[in-house]
PDB file of all heavy atoms in Angstrom:
ATOM      1  N   LYS A  46      13.498 -11.262  20.834  1.00  0.00           N
ATOM      2  CA  LYS A  46      14.158  -9.978  21.044  1.00  0.00           C
ATOM      3  C   LYS A  46      13.693  -9.289  22.328  1.00  0.00           C
ATOM      4  O   LYS A  46      14.489  -8.747  23.064  1.00  0.00           O
ATOM      5  CB  LYS A  46      13.931  -9.039  19.862  1.00  0.00           C
ATOM      6  CG  LYS A  46      14.751  -9.338  18.662  1.00  0.00           C
ATOM      7  CD  LYS A  46      16.187  -9.030  18.916  1.00  0.00           C
ATOM      8  CE  LYS A  46      17.008  -9.197  17.689  1.00  0.00           C
ATOM      9  NZ  LYS A  46      18.431  -9.197  17.964  1.00  0.00           N
ATOM     10  N   HIS A  47      12.414  -9.332  22.570  1.00  0.00           N
ATOM     11  CA  HIS A  47      11.833  -8.600  23.696  1.00  0.00           C
ATOM     12  C   HIS A  47      12.126  -9.284  25.041  1.00  0.00           C
ATOM     13  O   HIS A  47      12.414  -8.607  26.017  1.00  0.00           O
ATOM     14  CB  HIS A  47      10.332  -8.460  23.531  1.00  0.00           C
ATOM     15  CG  HIS A  47       9.684  -7.689  24.625  1.00  0.00           C
ATOM     16  ND1 HIS A  47       9.769  -6.321  24.713  1.00  0.00           N
ATOM     17  CD2 HIS A  47       8.927  -8.082  25.695  1.00  0.00           C
ATOM     18  CE1 HIS A  47       9.114  -5.899  25.788  1.00  0.00           C
ATOM     19  NE2 HIS A  47       8.593  -6.970  26.374  1.00  0.00           N
ATOM     20  N   HIS A  48      12.076 -10.599  25.084  1.00  0.00           N
ATOM     21  CA  HIS A  48      12.211 -11.318  26.341  1.00  0.00           C
ATOM     22  C   HIS A  48      13.592 -11.862  26.594  1.00  0.00           C
ATOM     23  O   HIS A  48      13.809 -12.511  27.618  1.00  0.00           O
ATOM     24  CB  HIS A  48      11.185 -12.465  26.398  1.00  0.00           C
ATOM     25  CG  HIS A  48       9.782 -11.975  26.491  1.00  0.00           C
ATOM     26  ND1 HIS A  48       9.271 -11.367  27.602  1.00  0.00           N
ATOM     27  CD2 HIS A  48       8.782 -11.981  25.589  1.00  0.00           C
ATOM     28  CE1 HIS A  48       8.022 -11.033  27.392  1.00  0.00           C
ATOM     29  NE2 HIS A  48       7.693 -11.396  26.163  1.00  0.00           N
ATOM     30  N   GLY A  49      14.524 -11.619  25.707  1.00  0.00           N
ATOM     31  CA  GLY A  49      15.878 -12.129  25.906  1.00  0.00           C
ATOM     32  C   GLY A  49      16.586 -11.435  27.052  1.00  0.00           C
ATOM     33  O   GLY A  49      16.267 -10.287  27.391  1.00  0.00           O
ATOM     34  N   PRO A  50      17.549 -12.101  27.703  1.00  0.00           N
ATOM     35  CA  PRO A  50      18.229 -11.478  28.851  1.00  0.00           C
ATOM     36  C   PRO A  50      19.063 -10.260  28.435  1.00  0.00           C
ATOM     37  O   PRO A  50      19.175  -9.318  29.186  1.00  0.00           O
ATOM     38  CB  PRO A  50      19.112 -12.603  29.385  1.00  0.00           C
ATOM     39  CG  PRO A  50      19.234 -13.590  28.283  1.00  0.00           C
ATOM     40  CD  PRO A  50      18.005 -13.447  27.447  1.00  0.00           C
ATOM     41  N   GLY A  51      19.601 -10.269  27.238  1.00  0.00           N
ATOM     42  CA  GLY A  51      20.378  -9.130  26.775  1.00  0.00           C
ATOM     43  C   GLY A  51      19.612  -8.355  25.723  1.00  0.00           C
ATOM     44  O   GLY A  51      20.183  -7.915  24.736  1.00  0.00           O
ATOM     45  N   ALA A  52      18.328  -8.148  25.955  1.00  0.00           N
ATOM     46  CA  ALA A  52      17.466  -7.477  24.975  1.00  0.00           C
ATOM     47  C   ALA A  52      17.904  -6.030  24.766  1.00  0.00           C
ATOM     48  O   ALA A  52      18.166  -5.317  25.762  1.00  0.00           O
ATOM     49  CB  ALA A  52      16.018  -7.517  25.428  1.00  0.00           C
ATOM     50  N   PRO A  53      18.031  -5.601  23.530  1.00  0.00           N
ATOM     51  CA  PRO A  53      18.375  -4.189  23.272  1.00  0.00           C
ATOM     52  C   PRO A  53      17.258  -3.276  23.741  1.00  0.00           C
ATOM     53  O   PRO A  53      16.081  -3.654  23.837  1.00  0.00           O
ATOM     54  CB  PRO A  53      18.561  -4.129  21.760  1.00  0.00           C
ATOM     55  CG  PRO A  53      17.861  -5.345  21.216  1.00  0.00           C
ATOM     56  CD  PRO A  53      17.836  -6.363  22.313  1.00  0.00           C
ATOM     57  N   GLY A  54      17.607  -2.027  23.996  1.00  0.00           N
ATOM     58  CA  GLY A  54      16.642  -1.062  24.476  1.00  0.00           C
ATOM     59  C   GLY A  54      15.484  -0.843  23.519  1.00  0.00           C
ATOM     60  O   GLY A  54      14.350  -0.678  23.942  1.00  0.00           O
ATOM     61  N   TRP A  55      15.751  -0.830  22.214  1.00  0.00           N
ATOM     62  CA  TRP A  55      14.694  -0.591  21.261  1.00  0.00           C
ATOM     63  C   TRP A  55      13.659  -1.728  21.233  1.00  0.00           C
ATOM     64  O   TRP A  55      12.525  -1.502  20.852  1.00  0.00           O
ATOM     65  CB  TRP A  55      15.267  -0.347  19.863  1.00  0.00           C
ATOM     66  CG  TRP A  55      16.123  -1.466  19.335  1.00  0.00           C
ATOM     67  CD1 TRP A  55      17.490  -1.568  19.411  1.00  0.00           C
ATOM     68  CD2 TRP A  55      15.693  -2.627  18.654  1.00  0.00           C
ATOM     69  NE1 TRP A  55      17.932  -2.707  18.839  1.00  0.00           N
ATOM     70  CE2 TRP A  55      16.847  -3.396  18.340  1.00  0.00           C
ATOM     71  CE3 TRP A  55      14.447  -3.132  18.248  1.00  0.00           C
ATOM     72  CZ2 TRP A  55      16.775  -4.622  17.678  1.00  0.00           C
ATOM     73  CZ3 TRP A  55      14.400  -4.343  17.579  1.00  0.00           C
ATOM     74  CH2 TRP A  55      15.562  -5.063  17.311  1.00  0.00           C
ATOM     75  N   ALA A  56      14.082  -2.917  21.664  1.00  0.00           N
ATOM     76  CA  ALA A  56      13.142  -4.054  21.672  1.00  0.00           C
ATOM     77  C   ALA A  56      12.303  -4.086  22.933  1.00  0.00           C
ATOM     78  O   ALA A  56      11.361  -4.885  23.018  1.00  0.00           O
ATOM     79  CB  ALA A  56      13.897  -5.360  21.504  1.00  0.00           C
ATOM     80  N   LYS A  57      12.627  -3.292  23.909  1.00  0.00           N
ATOM     81  CA  LYS A  57      11.876  -3.290  25.169  1.00  0.00           C
ATOM     82  C   LYS A  57      10.803  -2.192  25.208  1.00  0.00           C
ATOM     83  O   LYS A  57       9.994  -2.171  26.096  1.00  0.00           O
ATOM     84  CB  LYS A  57      12.823  -3.075  26.357  1.00  0.00           C
ATOM     85  CG  LYS A  57      13.765  -4.221  26.601  1.00  0.00           C
ATOM     86  CD  LYS A  57      13.028  -5.428  26.983  1.00  0.00           C
ATOM     87  CE  LYS A  57      13.540  -6.018  28.266  1.00  0.00           C
ATOM     88  NZ  LYS A  57      12.776  -7.226  28.611  1.00  0.00           N
ATOM     89  N   GLY A  58      10.837  -1.310  24.223  1.00  0.00           N
ATOM     90  CA  GLY A  58       9.922  -0.163  24.258  1.00  0.00           C
ATOM     91  C   GLY A  58       8.539  -0.459  23.709  1.00  0.00           C
ATOM     92  O   GLY A  58       8.279  -1.474  23.055  1.00  0.00           O
ATOM     93  N   GLN A  59       7.641   0.465  24.004  1.00  0.00           N
ATOM     94  CA  GLN A  59       6.261   0.350  23.570  1.00  0.00           C
ATOM     95  C   GLN A  59       6.130   0.477  22.058  1.00  0.00           C
ATOM     96  O   GLN A  59       5.272  -0.156  21.447  1.00  0.00           O
ATOM     97  CB  GLN A  59       5.399   1.442  24.255  1.00  0.00           C
ATOM     98  CG  GLN A  59       3.952   1.363  23.909  1.00  0.00           C
ATOM     99  CD  GLN A  59       3.284   0.085  24.371  1.00  0.00           C
ATOM    100  OE1 GLN A  59       3.618  -0.440  25.438  1.00  0.00           O
ATOM    101  NE2 GLN A  59       2.372  -0.446  23.604  1.00  0.00           N
ATOM    102  N   LEU A  60       6.989   1.288  21.429  1.00  0.00           N
ATOM    103  CA  LEU A  60       6.920   1.447  19.989  1.00  0.00           C
ATOM    104  C   LEU A  60       7.160   0.126  19.261  1.00  0.00           C
ATOM    105  O   LEU A  60       6.436  -0.222  18.326  1.00  0.00           O
ATOM    106  CB  LEU A  60       7.921   2.511  19.538  1.00  0.00           C
ATOM    107  CG  LEU A  60       7.962   2.763  18.021  1.00  0.00           C
ATOM    108  CD1 LEU A  60       6.621   3.307  17.539  1.00  0.00           C
ATOM    109  CD2 LEU A  60       9.086   3.726  17.691  1.00  0.00           C
ATOM    110  N   PHE A  61       8.164  -0.636  19.692  1.00  0.00           N
ATOM    111  CA  PHE A  61       8.447  -1.915  19.109  1.00  0.00           C
ATOM    112  C   PHE A  61       7.270  -2.876  19.239  1.00  0.00           C
ATOM    113  O   PHE A  61       6.837  -3.521  18.284  1.00  0.00           O
ATOM    114  CB  PHE A  61       9.711  -2.538  19.756  1.00  0.00           C
ATOM    115  CG  PHE A  61      10.057  -3.902  19.266  1.00  0.00           C
ATOM    116  CD1 PHE A  61      10.583  -4.066  17.989  1.00  0.00           C
ATOM    117  CD2 PHE A  61       9.871  -5.026  20.036  1.00  0.00           C
ATOM    118  CE1 PHE A  61      10.925  -5.311  17.509  1.00  0.00           C
ATOM    119  CE2 PHE A  61      10.206  -6.275  19.593  1.00  0.00           C
ATOM    120  CZ  PHE A  61      10.741  -6.406  18.318  1.00  0.00           C
ATOM    121  N   ALA A  62       6.714  -2.932  20.441  1.00  0.00           N
ATOM    122  CA  ALA A  62       5.554  -3.803  20.696  1.00  0.00           C
ATOM    123  C   ALA A  62       4.352  -3.403  19.834  1.00  0.00           C
ATOM    124  O   ALA A  62       3.650  -4.260  19.268  1.00  0.00           O
ATOM    125  CB  ALA A  62       5.192  -3.810  22.165  1.00  0.00           C
ATOM    126  N   SER A  63       4.133  -2.118  19.732  1.00  0.00           N
ATOM    127  CA  SER A  63       2.990  -1.625  18.930  1.00  0.00           C
ATOM    128  C   SER A  63       3.170  -1.925  17.458  1.00  0.00           C
ATOM    129  O   SER A  63       2.224  -2.346  16.789  1.00  0.00           O
ATOM    130  CB  SER A  63       2.805  -0.133  19.148  1.00  0.00           C
ATOM    131  OG  SER A  63       2.457   0.130  20.453  1.00  0.00           O
ATOM    132  N   LEU A  64       4.370  -1.714  16.925  1.00  0.00           N
ATOM    133  CA  LEU A  64       4.625  -1.964  15.513  1.00  0.00           C
ATOM    134  C   LEU A  64       4.439  -3.449  15.181  1.00  0.00           C
ATOM    135  O   LEU A  64       3.832  -3.807  14.161  1.00  0.00           O
ATOM    136  CB  LEU A  64       6.033  -1.506  15.115  1.00  0.00           C
ATOM    137  CG  LEU A  64       6.218  -0.009  15.050  1.00  0.00           C
ATOM    138  CD1 LEU A  64       7.678   0.329  14.791  1.00  0.00           C
ATOM    139  CD2 LEU A  64       5.344   0.606  13.961  1.00  0.00           C
ATOM    140  N   ILE A  65       4.988  -4.325  16.028  1.00  0.00           N
ATOM    141  CA  ILE A  65       4.831  -5.749  15.778  1.00  0.00           C
ATOM    142  C   ILE A  65       3.358  -6.139  15.886  1.00  0.00           C
ATOM    143  O   ILE A  65       2.872  -6.936  15.077  1.00  0.00           O
ATOM    144  CB  ILE A  65       5.711  -6.535  16.775  1.00  0.00           C
ATOM    145  CG1 ILE A  65       7.192  -6.277  16.508  1.00  0.00           C
ATOM    146  CG2 ILE A  65       5.423  -8.027  16.660  1.00  0.00           C
ATOM    147  CD1 ILE A  65       7.685  -6.664  15.126  1.00  0.00           C
TER     148      ILE A  65
END
Side-chain angles (χ1 to χ4, degrees):
K46 283 291 185 193
H47 182 76
H48 292 290
W55 57 266
K57 293 296 234 180
Q59 182 64 37
L60 179 63
F61 177 72
S63 295
L64 288 174
I65 295 299

